[in-house]
Amino acid sequence: MSKGNVVAWITHALILLIILPVVFTCAGHARLASITAGVNNAFAINDNGAVWGWGRNYYGQIGNGAFSEKCGPGSVLIDNVTMITTNGGASYALKSDGTVWAWGYGESGWLGDGGFEDQCVPVQVKNLTNVKAIAAGSQNCYALKNDGTVWAWGDNRDGQCGDGTTMGDGTIGVSQYGRASPVRYRGLEGVEYFITGCDQGVVADKNDGTMWALETNKRVDKITYGTVTDPSAYGFIKICGINWTQEQAHYVALKGDGTVWTWGAYVGRRGAFDKSGLDKAVEESPTRVEGLDHVVDVAAAHLTNYALKEDGTVWGWGRNDAGELGSGYRTVEPYPVLVFKGPTPTGTPTPTPTSTPTPTPAITQPSATPASTPTPAPGFELAAALLAGLAITTLITKLRKTGR
């Protein structure tokens, strides 16, 4: 073997030793990609489509095969999920193949499986394919298909399913008003996407520039979020809101710089039976949540907020009487606490702390964003390894030329 071949062989071996361990590490460890929440439960989705849920589970709305509350994150019996939406009583998942699955409360046809029974494991919504987005209404669900049409199922006593009737598929009780299978929302074509978390409920945005509130079948001229009527003025890239009553309406928003802001009813306020909160009732204008940065997603439940950070951890604060924080205990948390470290490489949820969390800095009025050390983005290690390998190759090549 010539001297040149030996050098080339050593070069390739060094590159493989540096790169391969990093590649296998990155490939074998999935990360949390998004979070969503309903009335008193929440879900986290992995970038490989696995799902974890926690909170109230009386109707089986966690989807873990049980009907008992879950105070800490547990695996949901479904995979290949790209989106989840929930209204607290039932939960809905969109899979990568364009099908929709549901679990939880079923008495009013909320699950869309053709029946009226509660389900604690995911069941497929009937006759629904080629779906690209889903959004839960207060008592039903909407699906947007690739062809721009909208389909709905669930409670229809006020015509929420948009089929031109107030009828259901059942014969007794509330089933008389529930559409147990999807029906097409009439007069609504060319829909591009759904807007959720606003005061107008689920809104369909059409390709002609018009917007329609699906639960009331009325045209919407402006999207509002409580006192915030122009989100772009604040630089918000995502807003989640719960607006059942004016007294309890609250909102959580994410900015492009990774900071989190809240307004409306203060979720960390002291309760009648839980004195662990603060004597604070409302935030009139967007207020930054101190102690949270590098956030990539937010979600809101009823008087509970969540934030997903770049490192894959989930933080929560607010009401917790149903275990909706996922922290393992049931006290109001006025400041963000760690509730989910994310899945382990084997896919098992990492246990969350059950001891009293360390208080974070108090929430203050808007101020300049403090400088902080950025967290390396996913893939940073792989890029560094590739650059190192390139540098070694270049160095050895120069040495070979010098030695000639």
Side-chain angles (χ1 to χ4, degrees):
M1 182 181 292
S2 66
K3 180 180 179 182
N5 289 336
V6 171
V7 172
W9 186 89
I10 294 175
T11 301
H12 295 154
L14 287 172
I15 294 174
L16 289 175
L17 286 173
I18 294 172
I19 294 177
L20 286 179
V22 178
V23 171
F24 284 118
T25 300
C26 293
H29 186 63
R31 298 167 63 91
L32 294 182
S34 63
I35 53 175
T36 190
V39 177
N40 37 38
N41 55 7
F43 296 94
I45 305 177
N46 234 3
D47 55 13
N48 64 3
V51 181
W52 285 264
W54 59 93
R56 181 148 291 169
N57 196 34
Y58 182 82
Y59 300 110
Q61 58 263 53
I62 297 298
N64 61 354
F67 289 95
S68 56
E69 292 177 1
K70 182 70 175 174
C71 292
S75 296
V76 179
L77 302 177
I78 194 170
D79 55 13
N80 298 319
V81 172
T82 61
M83 176 185 295
I84 281 188
T85 183
T86 177
N87 53 22
S91 305
Y92 310 89
L94 174 62
K95 300 186 72 170
S96 57
D97 61 2
T99 60
V100 180
W101 297 67
W103 56 96
Y105 181 75
E107 191 173 358
S108 293
W110 285 19
L111 303 184
D113 64 340
F116 297 93
E117 297 182 358
D118 300 346
Q119 300 287 348
C120 61
V121 296
V123 293
Q124 186 170 356
V125 176
K126 291 184 64 176
N127 306 322
L128 197 60
T129 57
N130 299 316
V131 175
K132 68 176 183 178
I134 53 176
S138 59
Q139 298 181 7
N140 54 2
C141 190
Y142 301 95
L144 173 59
K145 301 185 73 170
N146 290 322
D147 61 5
T149 60
V150 174
W151 296 71
W153 62 96
D155 197 295
N156 193 39
R157 71 188 66 196
D158 295 320
Q160 306 100 301
C161 290
D163 64 344
T165 76
T166 55
M167 299 171 56
D169 298 323
T171 58
I172 59 173
V174 294
S175 70
Q176 299 177 76
Y177 310 103
R179 287 297 191 189
S181 300
V183 293
R184 182 170 175 176
Y185 202 106
R186 291 186 181 180
L188 201 60
E189 294 84 24
V191 175
E192 295 187 333
Y193 56 89
F194 290 146
I195 300 172
T196 61
C198 60
D199 298 336
Q200 291 72 30
V202 179
V203 176
D205 193 297
K206 296 182 61 177
N207 54 15
D208 61 4
T210 61
M211 298 181 293
W212 295 83
L214 297 182
E215 292 176 271
T216 59
N217 197 17
K218 294 181 179 179
R219 181 167 176 171
V220 175
D221 294 323
K222 189 176 183 63
I223 299 296
T224 59
Y225 302 87
T227 58
V228 174
T229 58
D230 184 10
S232 62
Y234 293 87
F236 297 141
I237 60 175
K238 181 178 181 180
I239 302 177
C240 295
I242 299 291
N243 190 5
W244 281 357
T245 65
Q246 187 174 359
E247 293 76 18
Q248 295 187 338
H250 72 97
Y251 309 85
V252 57
L254 174 64
K255 279 191 175 184
D257 61 4
T259 58
V260 177
W261 300 69
T262 59
W263 64 97
Y266 181 57
V267 300
R269 62 188 176 188
R270 183 169 294 157
F273 303 102
D274 189 342
K275 304 300 183 182
S276 56
L278 300 179
D279 287 324
K280 184 177 182 179
V282 66
E283 293 170 325
E284 297 290 349
S285 59
T287 302
R288 184 181 172 187
V289 181
E290 297 292 345
L292 273 182
D293 52 18
H294 303 299
V295 173
V296 296
D297 199 10
V298 292
H302 179 51
L303 296 179
T304 312
N305 293 328
Y306 307 89
L308 171 63
K309 300 185 71 171
E310 283 180 352
D311 61 6
T313 57
V314 178
W315 299 70
W317 64 104
R319 197 182 73 164
N320 194 28
D321 58 301
E324 53 263 60
L325 277 182
S327 57
Y329 43 87
R330 298 175 184 246
T331 57
V332 172
E333 294 294 345
Y335 310 121
V337 295
L338 176 63
V339 298
F340 190 21
K341 294 181 180 179
T344 63
T346 60
T348 304
T350 304
T352 51
T354 56
S355 58
T356 303
T358 302
T360 56
I363 298 175
T364 61
Q365 293 300 318
S367 59
T369 303
S372 56
T373 303
T375 302
F380 174 82
E381 295 89 349
L382 180 57
L386 291 173
L387 289 174
L390 180 61
I392 293 174
T393 303
T394 303
L395 177 61
I396 294 179
T397 301
K398 288 184 177 180
L399 290 174
R400 291 176 60 189
K401 291 181 178 179
T402 304
R404 289 178 179 174

